[in-house]
Amino acid sequence: MGKVSKEKILEILDGYDKDNITIATLGSHTSLHILNGAKAEGFRTAIVCEKGREIPYERFDVADEFIMVDKFADIVNDDVQDKLRAMNAIVVPHGSFVAYAGLDNVEDIFEVPMFGNRDILRWEAERDLERKLLINGDVRIPYKYDDPADIDRAVMVKFPGARGGRGYFVASSPEEFNAKIEAMKSRGWIEDEDIEQAHIEEYVCGCNYCIHYFYSALNDEVELMGMDSRYESSIDGFVRMPAKDQLEVDLSPSYVVTGNHPVVIRESLLTQVFDIGDKLVKSAAELVKPGLNGAFCMQTLVNDNLEVVVFETSARTDGGTNTFMEGSSYSYLKYGEGMSMGRRTAREIKNAIEQDALDKVIT
Ligand code: ADP
């Protein structure tokens, strides 16, 4: 099956009534501020909502239209796509949209105009591509071990598909690595093929800052929009136990995100923050043309050498943007009050419509 071409999307956009654009997304993840922000910029809004999950969207009244589906993945069904196109919809992608719609479907069959660069979504989803993007941009990332026998300091071991950090573990030597692998195998948590694909990286002992940027293709500018830190279960519960009890209980911590705190970073680190954002934009423009477009996120750990080390990126609205629906300390500096990531996205679409430049921000 061929990829959804830019020409096809531009043809669909040509048929749209530009005075009646609807901003749409899947009802999950960051849809509240995507739709609230779209309304603040004067758009109509629509939500594709799984039956039984509509309550937050009704109670917060963020959507003018509800397209109800049996399951999230139905967003790619023909009838849903028809409804979206009939309301001149531009879809704003987020983490759950990509997870439920499926990357192949987004690339091959989802013929609805989307904000951003749809080709880049695969680059953030696949660890090797993501690393390539960061290495090409000369961004500081955790040191990677190709062979467990080389482990000479604390490492974090990650498995493919270990969504939300479930099943990740820390080890400090080849022996500890092997013992933990055996324990996981005997519990049936991993298979031999997972072990082959285990990703072993330097454990960065530092504080977590997830940095939310917006790259405006219209202005060719990287904006710092906000920052959050993750609240992860069970690790954040685990560390509340006295150390003695931590040693005694037989618990292996997991890193499942359950929420986010807003956070600000030491002011002297902002130079690095802008630097890594600019570098990722440059790298993406080289490797995945036309590059990043709109929201992106660098998940970092800052160590005691005050190095900002990037362990993960998102090339679309990240969940932590929910910490600044009414604006953040950083978006306040540029925009004054009230600039969420959703609103910034809607403003870019509005500016593109006014400048007759939708082709620059839609894919
Ligand atoms: P997922 O993509 O499955 O959510 P992440 O790669 O984001 O997994 O990692 C989950 C959590 O594990 C992070 O939020 C962080 O707390 C921790 N973590 C990830 N990589 C490292 C690392 N190299 N050093 C220390 N902690 C890490």
Side-chain angles (χ1 to χ4, degrees):
M1 188 171 303
K3 299 236 175 267
V4 177
S5 69
K6 177 104 182 192
E7 290 69 43
K8 177 77 198 172
I9 294 295
L10 291 181
E11 200 184 299
I12 295 166
L13 265 181
D14 250 2
Y16 273 13
D17 174 359
K18 307 288 186 314
D19 296 325
N20 271 307
I21 296 286
T22 299
I23 304 288
T25 195
L26 191 67
S28 182
H29 198 260
T30 42
S31 56
L32 286 171
H33 70 75
I34 290 175
L35 299 184
N36 173 276
K39 272 179 179 262
E41 293 297 308
F43 288 102
R44 281 187 69 72
T45 60
I47 196 154
V48 179
C49 194
E50 187 171 277
K51 284 179 192 147
R53 299 280 290 256
E54 57 274 32
I55 287 176
Y57 312 107
E58 289 171 357
R59 297 271 181 99
F60 289 122
D61 193 22
V62 289
D64 297 310
E65 306 276 350
F66 280 74
I67 300 176
M68 300 305 298
V69 290
D70 289 329
K71 48 185 195 319
F72 285 126
D74 294 344
I75 188 166
V76 298
N77 287 359
D78 287 343
D79 58 326
V80 177
Q81 292 196 42
D82 285 343
K83 282 183 193 159
L84 287 167
R85 283 187 294 261
M87 51 177 85
N88 305 305
I90 294 175
V91 168
V92 178
H94 52 54
S96 300
F97 168 77
V98 178
Y100 290 115
L103 267 178
D104 288 342
N105 289 333
V106 172
E107 289 173 350
D108 297 341
I109 63 170
F110 192 62
E111 291 190 336
V112 181
M114 279 170 57
F115 178 74
N117 176 359
R118 75 171 79 196
D119 291 340
I120 208 166
L121 298 172
R122 184 171 292 281
W123 284 70
E124 58 144 56
E126 295 181 7
R127 195 169 280 136
D128 290 344
L129 289 177
E130 184 187 29
R131 270 185 81 79
K132 200 167 157 186
L133 207 53
L134 290 163
I135 291 170
N136 181 59
D138 195 23
V139 175
R140 167 77 165 94
I141 55 178
Y143 178 76
K144 178 173 182 264
Y145 289 77
D146 291 325
D147 185 348
D150 297 337
I151 297 175
D152 58 354
R153 65 189 110 164
V155 296
M156 182 136 196
V157 183
K158 305 180 177 185
F159 294 98
R163 288 193 46 197
R166 208 183 278 277
Y168 289 7
F169 69 80
V170 178
S172 302
S173 64
E175 295 72 34
E176 191 183 348
F177 173 88
N178 291 332
K180 288 192 169 168
I181 288 280
E182 282 312 314
M184 288 180 81
K185 243 170 84 174
S186 66
R187 288 176 173 163
W189 290 357
I190 47 171
E191 312 280 333
D192 284 334
E193 62 196 56
D194 295 325
I195 301 170
E196 277 157 35
Q197 293 183 51
H199 172 89
I200 307 169
E201 66 183 35
E202 159 197 1
Y203 185 87
V204 183
C205 197
C207 304
N208 177 229
Y209 296 85
C210 297
I211 310 171
H212 305 286
Y213 304 85
F214 186 92
Y215 173 65
S216 166
L218 295 178
N219 305 336
D220 186 21
E221 185 181 349
V222 179
E223 301 170 18
L224 174 59
M225 296 296 297
M227 268 180 225
D228 82 284
S229 162
R230 304 285 138 105
Y231 210 22
E232 294 170 336
S233 203
S234 61
I235 186 73
D236 286 313
F238 199 60
V239 295
R240 284 173 55 83
M241 270 184 211
K244 188 168 118 338
D245 298 328
Q246 288 183 25
L247 291 173
E248 277 165 18
V249 293
D250 181 25
L251 269 179
S252 33
S254 51
Y255 298 80
V256 177
V257 176
T258 62
N260 308 75
H261 316 273
V263 69
V264 290
I265 203 164
R266 254 175 100 134
E267 190 165 314
S268 57
L269 290 173
L270 285 174
T271 310
Q272 272 190 74
V273 166
F274 279 108
D275 183 53
I276 58 175
D278 290 351
K279 280 176 163 172
L280 195 71
V281 166
K282 184 165 173 286
S283 175
E286 287 163 10
L287 296 181
V288 209
K289 289 190 171 43
L292 282 160
N293 201 333
F296 70 101
C297 171
M298 299 281 237
Q299 297 182 38
T300 75
L301 293 159
V302 179
N303 63 22
D304 56 1
N305 284 330
L306 297 179
E307 283 177 295
V308 181
V309 185
V310 179
F311 65 91
E312 177 128 314
T313 59
S314 319
R316 34 81 196 156
T317 313
D318 178 273
T321 56
N322 285 334
T323 54
F324 60 97
M325 296 199 197
E326 76 294 25
S328 76
S329 301
Y330 300 110
S331 71
Y332 174 78
L333 292 172
K334 191 162 171 72
Y335 290 104
E337 283 162 18
M339 187 55 81
S340 67
M341 190 63 90
R343 184 165 189 182
R344 180 65 190 86
T345 305
R347 181 158 305 172
E348 188 83 346
I349 295 172
K350 191 160 100 177
N351 290 342
I353 294 170
E354 280 166 15
Q355 296 169 23
D356 195 17
L358 267 180
D359 60 317
K360 277 197 178 169
V361 300
I362 300 299
T363 187

PDB file of all heavy atoms in Angstrom, residues 64 231 250 271 344:
ATOM      1  N   ASP A  64     -17.195  20.757  20.187  1.00  0.00           N
ATOM      2  CA  ASP A  64     -18.487  21.104  19.576  1.00  0.00           C
ATOM      3  C   ASP A  64     -19.134  19.860  18.987  1.00  0.00           C
ATOM      4  O   ASP A  64     -20.351  19.766  18.908  1.00  0.00           O
ATOM      5  CB  ASP A  64     -18.275  22.149  18.471  1.00  0.00           C
ATOM      6  CG  ASP A  64     -17.718  23.447  19.034  1.00  0.00           C
ATOM      7  OD1 ASP A  64     -18.294  23.958  20.018  1.00  0.00           O
ATOM      8  OD2 ASP A  64     -16.687  23.921  18.527  1.00  0.00           O
ATOM      9  N   TYR A 231       5.680  11.705  37.399  1.00  0.00           N
ATOM     10  CA  TYR A 231       5.345  11.062  38.653  1.00  0.00           C
ATOM     11  C   TYR A 231       5.088   9.605  38.290  1.00  0.00           C
ATOM     12  O   TYR A 231       4.087   9.295  37.623  1.00  0.00           O
ATOM     13  CB  TYR A 231       4.080  11.741  39.197  1.00  0.00           C
ATOM     14  CG  TYR A 231       3.978  11.745  40.699  1.00  0.00           C
ATOM     15  CD1 TYR A 231       5.090  11.615  41.514  1.00  0.00           C
ATOM     16  CD2 TYR A 231       2.745  11.911  41.312  1.00  0.00           C
ATOM     17  CE1 TYR A 231       4.976  11.637  42.895  1.00  0.00           C
ATOM     18  CE2 TYR A 231       2.620  11.936  42.687  1.00  0.00           C
ATOM     19  CZ  TYR A 231       3.743  11.800  43.470  1.00  0.00           C
ATOM     20  OH  TYR A 231       3.632  11.818  44.827  1.00  0.00           O
ATOM     21  N   ASP A 250      10.614  -7.484  48.404  1.00  0.00           N
ATOM     22  CA  ASP A 250      10.972  -8.037  47.101  1.00  0.00           C
ATOM     23  C   ASP A 250      10.131  -7.353  46.028  1.00  0.00           C
ATOM     24  O   ASP A 250       9.176  -7.915  45.510  1.00  0.00           O
ATOM     25  CB  ASP A 250      10.724  -9.549  47.113  1.00  0.00           C
ATOM     26  CG  ASP A 250      11.111 -10.170  45.780  1.00  0.00           C
ATOM     27  OD1 ASP A 250      11.968  -9.580  45.082  1.00  0.00           O
ATOM     28  OD2 ASP A 250      10.544 -11.219  45.434  1.00  0.00           O
ATOM     29  N   THR A 271      20.464  27.978  28.607  1.00  0.00           N
ATOM     30  CA  THR A 271      21.278  28.038  27.374  1.00  0.00           C
ATOM     31  C   THR A 271      21.333  26.641  26.759  1.00  0.00           C
ATOM     32  O   THR A 271      21.131  26.478  25.549  1.00  0.00           O
ATOM     33  CB  THR A 271      22.711  28.530  27.708  1.00  0.00           C
ATOM     34  OG1 THR A 271      22.584  29.702  28.494  1.00  0.00           O
ATOM     35  CG2 THR A 271      23.513  28.807  26.462  1.00  0.00           C
ATOM     36  N   ARG A 344      -1.183  27.188  21.257  1.00  0.00           N
ATOM     37  CA  ARG A 344      -0.078  27.593  20.371  1.00  0.00           C
ATOM     38  C   ARG A 344      -0.212  26.897  19.009  1.00  0.00           C
ATOM     39  O   ARG A 344       0.031  27.483  17.958  1.00  0.00           O
ATOM     40  CB  ARG A 344       1.270  27.237  21.033  1.00  0.00           C
ATOM     41  CG  ARG A 344       2.476  27.616  20.178  1.00  0.00           C
ATOM     42  CD  ARG A 344       2.583  29.113  20.009  1.00  0.00           C
ATOM     43  NE  ARG A 344       3.562  29.526  19.017  1.00  0.00           N
ATOM     44  CZ  ARG A 344       3.326  29.645  17.708  1.00  0.00           C
ATOM     45  NH1 ARG A 344       2.123  29.371  17.199  1.00  0.00           N
ATOM     46  NH2 ARG A 344       4.279  30.043  16.890  1.00  0.00           N
TER      47      ARG A 344
END
